[in-house]
Amino acid sequence: MQKFSLRDLELIDGPPHPEFDNLTRLAQRTIGAPVALLSTIDSDAKRQFFTSQTGLGGPAAEDRHAPLSHSFCQHVIQKDAPVAVEDAPNPPPDLGTGIAPGLGIGSYLGVPVYRPGGVPAAVLAVIDDKPRAWTEADISLLRQLAFCATDAIRTRATMLEMAHINRERREFTYAVSHDLKSPANTLNLLLQELDAERDRLSEDGIFLLEQSQKTAARMMRQMNDILEYSRVVGARIQKRDIDLNTLAGELVQDLQGEIQHAGATVDIGPLPVVTGNRMQLRCLFQNLITNGITFRSGARKPIVSITSVSGANKGQERIDVTDNGAGISTSDQQQIFQLFKKLHNPNEYDGTGIGLTLSRRICSNHNGLLEVSSEVGQGSTFRVTLPSGSSAT
C-alpha cells in the first residue's frame, strides 16, 4: 500500500470526522472521564493536533491543537505503549516535569493508535480533572477503542489508495485512447483517398475497402466511447435541476438522421424535472434511445417511448425507456451492463459494448439506478431512477 502522510489521512489539520468523534464520545462515556481525545503528534511543528475531541474546553478546543510541552501523548508515541499518569502535575520522572495545575489536567491515560504499516501515529486518550488510579479494565477498554481508531485509519488509507489507483487508471485510459485517435484519423484519411480511386479497384478490392472502412469507423467509435467512459468514472459532477422534457426533445432533434434512416418513431410522454448533470444525463438518454433504434427486431419499424412512471421512492423519479426491439434473454440481462460485453455479432448489430456500462455508471453518479426487463422478440424496458428536482413536492 502507498504510504500516505498524516495530512493525506486528514489526521493533522483535517476536518472533524464522525468515525473518530463517535470513538472519543464512547471513550468519555464508558470510562467516565470528562475529556477524551484522539491526538496526533505533529513533530515538525512541535504540537499535538486534536483530530477529535470530546469535552475539551478553552482555546485548545477552538484551535484543535496544543504545544507538546502540554502533552503526555508524545510519550505514548515514543514508548509505543500505554501511558497511565495518576497525578498529572507530579508524573513519573521519565515523563518530564509534569503538567501545570492551571490546565485542569489531574490524571491521564493514553494508548497508541496506528497508521498502516504498524507505525504509531496518534493517541486515544482520556483525561480526568483530578488524580485517578487507572484500572486494568480502563486500559483494556481504551485499547479496544484504539483498535477501532486504527481500523478507521486503515480504511481511510485504503480508500485513498483506491482513489489514487482509479485516478491513474482513468488518466491512463484517457491518454491511450486519445493518442490512438491520431493514427486512426490517419487511417481514415488514407481509406478516403483509396475510396476516391474506387473505379480502379477490382470487385474484391472494393469489398476489402468497404470492410476496412467499417472496421476503422467501429474503432473510432470505440475509442470515443472509451474516452467518454474515462471522463465519467469517478468524476465529480455539478448538478442542477434538469427538465427532461426539454432534454429529450433536443435529443430527438439531434438524432433525426438516425431516426429517419431507421424509419423509427420516438414518443415522449410528460417527463419530470430531476437533479443532475446535463451532459451526463444527455449521454444516458441518448444511449438508451439509440439502443432502441439499433437493436431492432427483423423488419419491424423501431418504436421507442420515454415515459414517467409513478411509484418511485420519495425524492426520486422513475423514467422508463421502452422499445419494441430484439429483446434480451433473462440470462443476459445483467451481462449487458458489463464493459465491452456484446451479445450480438458486429455484422448483425453495430456497437462498442460500452454504452450501457456508461449509462449505469451515470445513474450511479446520480445516486440512481438503471435496470432492465425484457423478453426476446418483444422488446426491452430500461428503468431509470434519478433524484427529483428541487422544485418537486
Side-chain angles (χ1 to χ4, degrees):
M1 179 178 287
Q2 182 175 338
K3 187 175 181 180
F4 295 102
S5 71
L6 296 175
R7 280 187 171 79
D8 291 335
L9 296 169
E10 296 187 338
L11 297 176
I12 291 179
D13 296 330
H17 292 287
E19 63 269 35
F20 297 136
D21 292 342
N22 288 337
L23 285 172
T24 56
R25 281 194 290 267
L26 189 58
Q28 180 200 45
R29 292 172 185 174
T30 54
I31 296 179
V35 176
L37 306 169
L38 180 64
S39 175
T40 305
I41 303 303
D42 185 359
S43 300
D44 294 338
K46 294 183 172 54
R47 63 170 183 157
Q48 58 180 337
F49 179 78
F50 302 131
T51 307
S52 176
Q53 60 85 18
T54 298
L56 191 67
E62 296 178 9
D63 299 339
R64 298 182 65 199
H65 64 83
L68 289 183
S69 59
H70 297 171
S71 171
F72 287 125
C73 292
Q74 61 183 320
H75 300 293
V76 178
I77 297 293
Q78 291 167 4
K79 294 174 179 290
D80 190 11
V83 168
V85 181
E86 297 183 0
D87 184 1
N90 302 289
D94 62 332
L95 299 183
T97 59
I99 300 294
L103 295 176
I105 301 176
S107 53
Y108 169 94
L109 174 63
V111 298
V113 173
Y114 299 92
R115 64 194 298 175
V119 178
V123 177
L124 185 61
V126 287
I127 297 170
D128 209 325
D129 55 3
K130 57 185 180 297
R132 175 170 173 173
W134 302 103
T135 67
E136 287 299 322
D138 293 333
I139 297 173
S140 177
L141 181 55
L142 200 60
R143 274 185 179 276
Q144 294 299 316
L145 294 175
F147 291 152
C148 295
T150 294
D151 287 342
I153 293 171
R154 188 181 296 118
T155 299
R156 184 173 295 277
T158 300
M159 292 174 64
L160 283 173
E161 178 78 5
M162 292 305 299
H164 178 77
I165 291 171
N166 287 336
R167 184 171 61 252
E168 282 191 339
R169 183 179 298 157
R170 194 164 60 246
E171 290 171 353
F172 174 78
T173 302
Y174 182 87
V176 170
S177 300
H178 186 270
D179 290 348
L180 284 175
K181 287 186 72 174
S182 180
N185 283 327
T186 301
L187 176 60
N188 276 322
L189 289 173
L190 292 173
L191 290 173
Q192 288 175 19
E193 292 290 330
L194 189 57
D195 191 60
E197 305 291 330
R198 176 185 287 261
D199 57 349
R200 299 173 56 182
L201 298 177
S202 66
E203 187 175 333
D204 287 344
I206 292 174
F207 174 78
L208 291 174
L209 170 63
E210 290 175 347
Q211 291 302 307
S212 297
Q213 289 173 323
K214 290 179 181 178
T215 300
R218 188 159 54 244
M219 181 171 62
M220 182 63 75
R221 283 195 301 274
Q222 191 159 30
M223 283 186 293
N224 286 332
D225 283 350
I226 291 172
L227 283 170
E228 187 64 37
Y229 186 72
S230 70
R231 291 189 187 101
V232 167
V233 173
R236 292 184 178 182
I237 58 174
Q238 293 184 339
K239 300 177 183 179
R240 59 186 179 88
D241 282 359
I242 305 295
D243 186 340
L244 292 183
N245 295 288
T246 302
L247 186 144
E250 292 173 357
L251 278 174
V252 169
Q253 289 297 319
D254 292 344
L255 295 172
Q256 272 303 306
E258 293 181 44
I259 293 170
Q260 291 178 4
H261 179 75
T265 302
V266 179
D267 296 321
I268 304 173
L271 299 177
V273 174
V274 299
T275 298
N277 177 271
R278 185 177 185 81
M279 182 197 73
Q280 290 197 11
L281 293 182
R282 181 183 175 87
C283 181
L284 164 66
F285 285 102
Q286 180 171 324
N287 280 333
L288 297 180
I289 294 171
T290 302
N291 269 9
I293 296 172
T294 301
F295 296 97
R296 66 191 71 176
S297 180
R300 191 162 61 202
K301 296 294 185 182
I303 300 174
V304 179
S305 63
I306 309 172
T307 55
S308 177
V309 180
S310 62
N313 292 330
K314 185 178 181 180
Q316 294 183 318
E317 304 289 349
R318 177 179 150 189
I319 303 95
D320 283 2
V321 181
T322 302
D323 63 63
N324 66 337
I328 307 160
S329 67
T330 303
S331 60
D332 289 331
Q333 286 178 18
Q334 290 308 309
Q335 295 186 52
I336 61 172
F337 296 107
Q338 297 175 14
L339 194 60
F340 300 122
K341 185 66 177 180
K342 293 187 284 187
L343 304 180
H344 306 282
N345 188 300
N347 293 325
E348 184 181 3
Y349 292 109
D350 202 6
T352 62
I354 298 176
L356 287 176
T357 310
L358 177 62
S359 297
R360 177 166 273 189
R361 171 61 67 173
I362 290 171
C363 285
S364 177
N365 286 353
H366 289 75
N367 298 317
L369 292 172
L370 175 59
E371 300 171 302
V372 65
S373 59
S374 183
E375 185 177 342
V376 174
Q378 301 300 315
S380 305
T381 295
F382 288 89
R383 300 187 298 273
V384 179
T385 304
L386 295 169
S388 303
S390 60
S391 60
T393 57

